[in-house]
Amino acid sequence: MKAVVLTAYGDVDKLELREMPDPRAGSGAIVVRMAGASINPVDWKMRSGQARARFPVEFPGILGRDASGRVVEVGKGVNAFAMGDRVLGLVTGAYAELVAAPAEAWGKIPTGLDLAEAGALPLVLLTGVQLIDAIEPTERDTVLVTGAAGSVGRAAVFAAKERGARVWAGVRASQRAEGATVGADAVVALDDDADLAKLPVFDAIGDTVGGDVIKKLFARVKAGGVLGSTVGEPVGARERGLVVRAFMAHPDSAMLAKYAAAVAERKLTIPIAMKLPLASAAEGQTLAEKKHPGGKVLLLG
């Protein structure tokens, strides 16, 4: 099979299209012919070596956490999937024509969802929904989601509204109009001091941004309130009396299928900014990392 491999830590010039051995479906796993694989921040953090402590790469390594396509091989003991099934999954090694992963990493693509475009969904859907699971809002709670105009933030807003929470969408000032489309009850520009001064006290924050943004918001969470984070535990949060729940997304076949159905039914929108051939993975990473295209960059198999 053809795959885009990382030959060493560094810039996008370390990504090469190569012929690699076809993966096989081990016990409990399936192999999928990739139709779509999206680019996520973890990809360029792994490429550069920034994420090597959590996600070390054995060179030559194949990046990519999202994949969609059709099942072409079913391993021993797998009953949930059959040859030809349309699936999407949170995997490793998605920048390739063939992707192997355990069956529990995959969910079935619902009717009405494009086969390739489904590849934009797994990591952002699972991360956003599991972020809200981490902060556990109730119907009485007021919640802020930072980075709400991003794909993870959109999924988090949707999941929080499902729980009946009152949700504020935290965005940049330049994203106010976009923030108004994500389904939140209110929108706040987190880089606007006048907006910040008007914020209520929140029961919980679901943070997808980190850095100085979240530090400015510590005082806006009630004592004993919950701070969930997809970008690591923020320094100083526990000292302010907050309950901190930092996590990394994990596979969940049922959850993935459920929220992919919400996208298929147009209840939740995850924008796709552009589609590129697999061989253009380096170009795609450059665009996604530095130019903020306003949606997912999707590689096509």
Side-chain angles (χ1 to χ4, degrees), residues 55-139:
F55 301 108
V57 179
E58 183 177 339
F59 303 111
I62 305 173
L63 302 181
R65 300 300 315 279
D66 287 329
S68 65
R70 291 188 183 274
V71 178
V72 295
E73 186 181 353
V74 178
K76 183 179 179 180
V78 175
N79 300 311
F81 302 104
M83 295 285 289
D85 280 352
R86 293 168 13 112
V87 296
L88 72 168
L90 178 61
V91 301
T92 58
Y95 291 9
E97 291 179 323
L98 296 171
V99 182
E104 58 265 26
W106 303 94
K108 290 186 179 179
I109 297 174
T111 301
L113 193 58
D114 179 82
L115 180 65
E117 291 184 357
L121 301 179
L123 183 59
V124 297
L125 290 185
L126 292 173
T127 303
V129 175
Q130 290 168 9
L131 174 61
I132 300 306
D133 283 353
I135 64 176
E136 300 179 298
T138 69
E139 291 183 9

Side-chain angles (χ1 to χ4, degrees), residues 7-30:
T7 60
Y9 292 125
D11 208 338
V12 294
D13 62 339
K14 299 297 189 283
L15 294 171
E16 295 182 5
L17 185 68
R18 289 186 179 180
E19 196 69 32
M20 298 290 283
D22 289 357
R24 300 305 305 269
S27 179
I30 62 175

Side-chain angles (χ1 to χ4, degrees), residues 171-195:
V171 299
R172 294 190 297 269
S174 61
Q175 297 173 317
R176 289 183 197 272
E178 192 175 356
T181 71
V182 303
D185 298 287
V187 179
V188 57
L190 298 178
D191 54 355
D192 184 321
D193 289 341
D195 266 19

Side-chain angles (χ1 to χ4, degrees), residues 141-281:
D141 288 344
T142 301
V143 173
L144 172 67
V145 174
T146 67
S151 298
V152 172
R154 287 169 177 266
V157 168
F158 183 82
K161 289 298 296 178
E162 272 195 320
R163 286 176 173 254
R166 177 170 172 77
V167 183
W168 286 61
V171 299
R172 294 190 297 269
S174 61
Q175 297 173 317
R176 289 183 197 272
E178 192 175 356
T181 71
V182 303
D185 298 287
V187 179
V188 57
L190 298 178
D191 54 355
D192 184 321
D193 289 341
D195 266 19
L196 291 176
K198 299 174 185 176
L199 286 177
V201 174
F202 295 103
D203 296 288
I205 293 180
D207 180 39
T208 74
V209 176
D212 292 337
V213 172
I214 193 61
K215 291 179 181 178
K216 292 192 296 185
L217 296 168
F218 288 166
R220 295 293 179 177
V221 187
K222 71 179 185 182
V226 182
L227 172 57
S229 174
T230 66
V231 289
E233 182 171 325
V235 175
R238 291 187 188 274
E239 289 75 5
R240 295 295 296 264
L242 304 182
V243 176
V244 180
R245 294 173 183 159
F247 75 100
M248 290 188 292
H250 59 269
D252 187 318
S253 184
M255 180 183 287
L256 187 54
K258 174 184 175 181
Y259 289 93
V263 175
E265 295 162 8
R266 308 297 188 266
K267 296 176 181 176
L268 170 61
T269 299
I270 304 298
I272 296 174
M274 64 186 68
K275 301 174 183 179
L276 298 169
L278 175 63
S280 298

